[in-house]
Amino acid sequence: ERIAAKKSKQWYQRRVRGIKIKHMELSIIKRETTGSGPNTYNENEQINRYEIMDGAPVRGESIPIRLFLSAYDLTPTMKDVNKKFSVRYYLNLVLVDEEDRRYFKQQEITLWRKSPLSLKPENRGVAALESPQKENSVS
């Protein structure tokens, strides 16, 4: 992940230097693929879109971005289940310059669910209720 982020940052630094940016937006895309071979069907769904910058950036400025995903009905990433089905998620960055040209960068992200056992008891909800202990009876 660090390598992908580093490459993405290097791409951004190389491409953006000569561009006068008007605004920047980030979107989350869900891509479902079913079937195999010539019978493959792809479906793309834009989960949400965020405008993260309006106007030209200040030189050396960094823009921290935090995306809260709990508000969306997302499933974990599934890659090639039985070589017939996959669900993948992408972050799509779009830069628009002063001449209304659009520049795109897409990065795949992996989503997963934490095991309920690794969560703190107060965050487990119903699963945090203790089961009644069995009484030892002597017969």
Side-chain angles (χ1 to χ4, degrees):
E1 292 179 9
R2 286 181 183 251
I3 293 171
K6 187 175 181 180
K7 285 182 182 178
S8 183
K9 185 177 179 182
Q10 290 170 350
W11 172 86
Y12 178 79
Q13 288 172 344
R14 281 195 311 258
R15 288 297 284 175
V16 175
R17 284 197 181 141
I19 301 172
K20 299 199 184 232
I21 298 172
K22 186 164 74 174
H23 78 271
M24 185 183 313
E25 56 190 47
L26 185 70
S27 58
I28 303 171
I29 298 172
K30 176 181 179 180
R31 182 171 296 150
E32 292 184 9
T33 305
T34 56
S36 63
N39 300 325
T40 302
Y41 176 73
N42 292 313
E43 183 177 331
N44 292 331
E45 177 185 354
Q46 184 173 347
I47 304 297
N48 204 348
R49 191 179 86 194
Y50 305 91
E51 184 174 345
I52 55 177
M53 187 177 70
D54 188 17
V58 176
R59 174 169 281 225
E61 178 183 30
S62 64
I63 304 167
I65 299 168
R66 179 181 277 180
L67 301 175
F68 295 98
L69 301 178
S70 62
Y72 308 110
D73 186 25
L74 301 174
T75 61
T77 298
M78 293 180 260
K79 295 184 180 183
D80 301 326
V81 177
N82 293 329
K83 298 188 180 185
K84 300 230 181 227
F85 178 75
S86 66
V87 177
R88 297 172 188 244
Y89 293 92
Y90 296 88
L91 285 178
N92 190 39
L93 176 69
V94 179
L95 304 175
V96 180
D97 69 3
E98 291 178 345
E99 298 171 8
D100 287 330
R101 291 181 293 202
R102 299 170 69 84
Y103 301 88
F104 300 92
K105 175 68 177 177
Q106 198 170 79
Q107 179 68 44
E108 183 175 359
I109 58 173
T110 302
L111 303 180
W112 70 91
R113 289 196 176 116
K114 281 188 171 182
S115 166
L117 299 176
S118 67
L119 296 174
K120 294 178 182 176
E122 61 270 11
N123 294 336
R124 281 194 234 163
V126 178
L129 297 175
E130 294 182 20
S131 59
Q133 295 180 355
K134 295 180 183 177
E135 295 180 18
N136 293 334
S137 59
V138 179
S139 311

